[in-house]
Amino acid sequence: MPALLLHHYPTSPFSEKIRLVMGYKRLTWKSVIIPSIMPKPDVIALTGGYRKTPFLQIGSDVYCDSALICDVLEHLQPAPTLYPAQHKGLARVLAQWADSTLFWAAMGYNLQPRGAAAMFEGAPVEVLKAFGADRAAMSAGMTRLRPADATAAYKSYLRRLANMLEEQDFLLGGAPCVADFSAYHPLWFSRQRVPVMANILDATPAVLRWMDRMAALGHGAAEKYSSIEAIADCKAAPGPASAADSVFQDEHGIALGSRVTVTAESFGQEPTEGELVAATRTRYTLRRQDERAGTVQVHFPRIGYVLRAVMTA
Ligand SMILES: N[C@@H](CCC(=O)N[C@@H](CS)C(=O)NCC(=O)O)C(=O)O
């Protein structure tokens, strides 16, 4: 097993999703704590632009987005699986719904003024202002649910999750799958980060019991690591992990070797620019040079990301 470096911070819900996958798969990993707002120079040295949390580093390969990180961890440690054979498609579709629709409903509820005030209680006003400005810039152009609408949606979604848990311990059966990890993290945020808002969970005790089962999976074995060490590891890595043997699937009329950018479809659209070295059925790989990190392969899932050719004059 190669060294797994997870770049994350404790209060990040998508990071909690991956920390629990580490626990479920009983993995040992290195924990690199990154800032929750910009600037993030050490993050950008590795990703080339992508600033979201978490990302996984293996040598000089950087995997952006928790959906892709799940695929990479599944490949490295297939058991126990995140994608049970009988529910592969369903598990992924449900995970995608949870990471987007459920997540934004939960956040619209969690971060309404009462929740946000509790979350930042005691923090200097500058911290609050910096966080607000950072997230406002990140979500520019996005339609965010208003608190009342978010609350109604969140309540309905919790009932739907409770329905799924009536006769089984996890959403799609007797063991957790990727959908459980995706549905868990927004609810974890309500319970752990904004406990003043957590009473919304009380109407669905089956969901609370399932949350206890998910929390019991733990985080695996993590060891503290610094971003400086992570960048040095990237620079010292002998070369890319894979990519060379991947089948090229061209949907854009952009040839391998082209200069491209990859950008998130919404929320945090800082582009990563590099040479397109692979485009498989499910992901893109860009190769870029960084002064501090050396040659880096940055990987993105296709779903949720936009590939564009860079026009040269
Ligand atoms: N689709 C991404 C979403 C990641 C995401 O939105 N993460 C939040 C934190 S949980 C974030 O990046 N917030 C801003 C930041 O950390 O700078 C994924 O699945 O990894």
Side-chain angles (χ1 to χ4, degrees):
M1 179 67 63
L4 305 173
L5 279 61
L6 183 68
H7 295 249
H8 69 128
Y9 54 87
T11 58
S12 147
F14 282 94
S15 301
E16 182 63 10
K17 169 181 166 185
I18 299 302
R19 291 186 293 253
L20 282 180
V21 170
M22 296 286 194
Y24 185 45
K25 289 185 171 288
R26 295 193 191 86
L27 289 165
T28 297
W29 51 285
K30 295 186 179 182
S31 164
V32 183
I33 300 297
I34 60 173
S36 58
I37 62 171
M38 294 290 258
K40 306 189 186 192
D42 293 351
V43 166
I44 306 304
L46 290 163
T47 67
Y50 184 81
R51 54 83 40 112
K52 288 202 265 185
T53 313
F55 66 93
L56 179 73
Q57 178 192 348
I58 302 178
S60 62
D61 286 271
V62 166
Y63 299 93
C64 299
D65 199 286
S66 64
L68 177 56
I69 297 172
C70 285
D71 284 352
V72 171
L73 296 179
E74 178 81 1
H75 180 76
L76 292 170
Q77 181 90 310
T81 185
L82 296 173
Y83 311 102
Q86 71 278 27
H87 291 310
K88 258 187 188 169
L90 181 57
R92 284 186 191 275
V93 169
L94 190 52
Q96 189 185 11
W97 164 82
D99 281 339
S100 50
T101 308
L102 173 63
F103 176 76
W104 286 113
M107 284 304 167
Y109 167 81
N110 290 330
L111 297 180
Q112 59 185 291
R114 195 160 69 89
M119 197 170 113
F120 287 101
E121 201 185 332
V125 69
E126 302 77 57
V127 169
L128 186 75
K129 275 192 186 158
F131 187 86
D134 184 85
R135 292 304 190 264
M138 268 189 104
S139 54
M142 248 182 99
T143 308
R144 298 284 295 268
L145 289 172
R146 291 180 306 164
D149 299 316
T151 304
Y154 194 19
K155 283 182 180 167
S156 289
Y157 297 152
L158 288 169
R159 285 196 300 273
R160 289 173 192 181
L161 293 174
N163 291 156
M164 299 176 78
L165 294 163
E166 265 158 28
E167 285 173 14
Q168 54 194 18
D169 278 353
F170 296 96
L171 295 179
L172 295 179
C177 69
V178 68
D180 292 273
F181 295 94
S182 290
Y184 176 76
H185 69 87
L187 282 53
W188 165 86
F189 194 90
S190 304
R191 205 181 197 188
Q192 301 297 329
R193 280 298 286 152
V194 281
V196 294
M197 307 300 289
N199 58 355
I200 195 166
L201 301 166
D202 294 345
T204 49
V207 169
L208 283 169
R209 288 194 294 273
W210 163 77
M211 290 183 74
D212 292 339
R213 287 192 282 277
M214 291 298 292
L217 299 174
H219 289 166
E223 169 200 323
K224 274 191 192 159
Y225 212 58
S226 74
S227 56
I228 301 299
E229 290 172 299
I231 291 172
D233 284 5
C234 183
K235 185 138 196 170
S242 57
D245 55 350
S246 62
V247 176
F248 178 48
Q249 178 176 317
D250 181 20
E251 305 287 357
H252 298 74
I254 299 177
L256 290 184
S258 304
R259 191 110 204 120
V260 296
T261 59
V262 171
T263 312
E265 265 170 23
S266 67
F267 187 63
Q269 294 176 300
E270 289 79 1
T272 291
E273 184 174 333
E275 178 194 346
L276 185 68
V277 291
T280 70
R281 278 182 303 134
T282 57
R283 66 171 95 160
Y284 304 116
T285 303
L286 274 56
R287 186 188 295 137
R288 51 175 294 273
Q289 304 298 326
D290 186 87
E291 243 176 50
R292 296 165 64 206
T295 305
V296 193
Q297 293 71 234
V298 192
H299 308 262
F300 293 92
R302 277 191 191 256
I303 291 179
Y305 291 83
V306 177
L307 175 72
R308 289 192 187 89
V310 173
M311 298 300 164
T312 42

